[in-house]
Amino acid sequence: MRDNKNVSTIPKALPPEVPRFGNRVTGGIGLLIIKLLGWRFDGNLPAEKKLMVALAPHTSNWDFVIAMPMIMALKVQVSFMMKKEAFFFPFKRFFMWLGGLPTDRSAPGGLAQQMARAYREREKMWMAITPEGTRKKVHKWKNGFLRIAYAAKVPILLIAWDFPNKRVVVDSLYQPTGDLETDMREIQRRFHKYQGRKPENQTDLVEDDKKSTAE
């Protein structure tokens, strides 16, 4: 018999500030999938129109297998970055509908300024990034998500995959200080208590400030 603790719990109502996605049908499909997988959602989403979503620990392709139906069940619009070259007919409209944000790494000002502009142009926007940048083990996290949050002046919502307990967990809403070393160290510390599908791929907690903010 399935442990009742692992039956999904999805908030019945979201704050009106949260960007919305999908409908009852897509929401029902997402909920069915996560119930079949035995996962649950733990926590409450904040009443914020604009924020950065940091997702960790990212150690396996299964992370997205869990995340996508959870997003569908929550009916939350979560944007993500894609190379501008991917936005061509007939896929452009589909990617935009999903929340894709075209990026040009060669544009003046870099990605942080491009994404800050995207935040300014939208009434509501939640953008998700995995700080590790890869599911393989890395020694240092990339700081692009922090630079975008600084440029856009938005808080960072920390959401974790907790595989041993089959939970997607809202850990906390972090208000960046503007200091890369301080923010990276604190965010890594908050994520460190969670375990991904492949713990051997998780980034070790870095205590040395100078090592925690790799480009």
Side-chain angles (χ1 to χ4, degrees):
M1 182 178 295
R2 182 178 296 163
D3 188 341
N4 288 334
K5 291 189 297 182
N6 283 341
V7 175
S8 176
T9 54
I10 298 295
K12 293 183 178 180
L14 296 177
E17 293 85 355
V18 176
R20 304 302 295 268
F21 171 82
N23 51 44
R24 291 180 63 181
V25 174
T26 56
I29 292 172
L31 184 59
L32 175 62
I33 294 172
I34 59 176
K35 281 186 174 180
L36 291 174
L37 293 173
W39 276 67
R40 62 191 174 99
F41 182 80
D42 191 347
N44 296 304
L45 297 177
E48 296 282 345
K49 289 184 176 182
K50 300 180 182 183
L51 53 73
M52 166 71 67
V53 180
L55 296 161
H58 179 35
T59 65
S60 165
N61 284 330
W62 273 94
D63 297 344
F64 294 108
V65 173
I66 300 301
M68 290 311 298
M70 193 69 75
I71 290 170
M72 291 170 61
L74 289 166
K75 301 178 186 176
V76 175
Q77 176 76 70
V78 179
S79 298
F80 54 93
M81 294 187 292
M82 293 180 65
K83 293 181 180 179
K84 66 174 185 177
E85 290 78 11
F87 289 80
F88 60 86
F89 182 83
F91 303 108
K92 179 178 179 179
R93 180 170 292 185
F94 176 67
F95 288 146
M96 297 291 284
W97 175 73
L98 285 178
L101 299 169
T103 61
D104 181 0
R105 292 184 179 273
S106 64
L111 282 177
Q113 292 304 318
Q114 288 181 58
M115 294 301 100
R117 184 167 57 251
Y119 272 104
R120 290 194 298 269
E121 292 173 349
R122 291 162 173 77
E123 180 185 358
K124 300 179 181 180
M125 179 171 149
W126 286 20
M127 184 173 72
I129 290 181
T130 54
E132 295 99 327
T134 176
R135 63 185 181 277
K136 299 178 181 179
K137 186 177 180 66
V138 295
H139 296 291
K140 301 174 184 178
W141 284 11
K142 296 181 179 295
N143 61 32
F145 76 105
L146 281 171
R147 294 185 181 277
I148 293 172
Y150 296 160
K153 296 180 174 60
V154 296
I156 302 172
L157 182 63
L158 309 185
I159 297 184
W161 287 282
D162 178 22
F163 269 82
N165 299 301
K166 288 193 171 184
R167 301 183 304 159
V168 170
V169 185
V170 177
D171 180 88
S172 54
L173 185 66
Y174 183 74
Q175 297 291 341
T177 68
D179 183 304
L180 279 171
E181 294 178 354
T182 297
D183 291 335
M184 184 68 80
R185 184 175 64 251
E186 176 59 21
I187 289 171
Q188 286 184 315
R189 185 190 68 78
R190 295 190 189 190
F191 274 123
H192 190 63
K193 59 181 174 286
Y194 301 106
Q195 183 175 306
R197 180 176 172 82
K198 297 182 178 180
E200 66 274 15
N201 288 352
Q202 289 185 219
T203 305
D204 297 327
L205 187 62
V206 178
E207 297 296 343
D208 183 351
D209 297 354
K210 296 181 180 179
K211 295 180 181 179
S212 65
T213 55
E215 290 289 342

